[in-house]
Amino acid sequence: MPIREWYLNITELPDFDQSTLDYLQELKPHKAKQWDLKTNQMKAYKASLLEQLLKIQNNRCVYCGTGLRRQLVDREHFAHKDQKGGWPEFMFITENLFAACGYCNRMLKGTKSMIKLYNKNYRDCEFHLIHPYFDTASEEISFVERGVSDAIFVKKITQKGEDTIDFFELDSASATARRAGYITEIAMYNQLSASDAAEVKAISHFRPE
Ligand SMILES: [Zn+2]
């Protein structure tokens, strides 16, 4: 069964216990540097966030959809948190947080603006690109088969879809090859013996289902 939604449509959010939420609340007003606080609560929050995101996203990058490697996973702020030109006030908003691969996050996205029209309520902001939680990605872009291939070729449906394809280079030869490679990896993984599969799981976040 080929993967059709490479650009992930997130429908579930991580949740946190009350003491974590209280801790984040007490830090207000939020400043970018708080993200790197070395407190036990902050470490626990970030560890729990990543663990939940990987589960929700089935260990795939929220933007390109391919498998995430443990050492290259970023906790990614859709609206970036930098103190200058960013939105640290949205830093701990769960709808603003995803897991992304280093390439999509650092090479392509960086601190480019995602907010088209600001509102102090995050969910009422207007965004330039497909929002993984608020938008339904499959209504903006589709992935299609060509000849005997899997659904690795991308096609725009809307303008926002086209802008997202351009921004994340989803139609580049290398992104298409990465999607094809990921499907091949899953096929190989599915042929592993149970003990080999367990070994792969132990050393990697790459756990396709
Ligand atoms: Zn990616």
Side-chain angles (χ1 to χ4, degrees), residues 52-71:
Q52 294 187 66
L53 286 175
L54 288 170
K55 200 163 165 226
I56 290 167
Q57 295 177 205
N58 199 17
N59 298 294
R60 291 166 62 197
C61 171
V62 74
Y63 300 129
C64 67
T66 54
L68 289 166
R69 311 282 160 184
R70 185 187 290 261
Q71 65 275 28

Side-chain angles (χ1 to χ4, degrees), residues 6-7 63-66 101 103-109 112 129 141 143 152-155 160-179:
W6 290 93
Y7 199 95
Y63 300 129
C64 67
T66 54
C101 75
Y103 184 73
C104 288
N105 184 29
R106 289 177 231 171
M107 300 297 288
L108 299 179
K109 189 158 164 297
K112 295 186 188 92
L129 304 182
I141 49 181
F143 290 89
I152 55 172
F153 293 97
V154 66
K155 217 171 69 176
K160 202 187 218 179
E162 183 172 12
D163 294 343
T164 303
I165 290 169
D166 289 346
F167 189 92
F168 286 111
E169 300 176 351
L170 296 175
D171 60 350
S172 70
S174 96
T176 310
R178 263 187 291 144
R179 292 192 290 269

Side-chain angles (χ1 to χ4, degrees), residues 9 25 35 46-47 72 83 121 126 158-159 174 177 183 194:
N9 184 31
Q25 182 70 23
W35 188 256
K46 284 161 75 177
L72 293 172
Q83 205 61 41
N121 296 314
E126 231 180 85
T158 61
Q159 184 60 48
S174 96
I183 284 178

Side-chain angles (χ1 to χ4, degrees), residues 92-153:
F92 299 111
I93 301 277
T94 315
E95 289 91 333
N96 191 42
L97 287 155
F98 305 100
C101 75
Y103 184 73
C104 288
N105 184 29
R106 289 177 231 171
M107 300 297 288
L108 299 179
K109 189 158 164 297
T111 55
K112 295 186 188 92
S113 173
M114 287 293 129
I115 295 185
K116 195 174 180 180
L117 210 65
Y118 179 84
N119 189 296
K120 64 179 171 26
N121 296 314
Y122 180 73
R123 58 171 56 244
D124 293 326
C125 289
E126 231 180 85
F127 300 95
H128 286 293
L129 304 182
I130 297 171
H131 190 287
Y133 183 72
F134 295 135
D135 292 321
T136 303
S138 59
E139 291 171 0
E140 316 279 350
I141 49 181
S142 67
F143 290 89
V144 294
E145 295 161 28
R146 204 178 284 168
V148 293
S149 79
D150 290 302
I152 55 172
F153 293 97

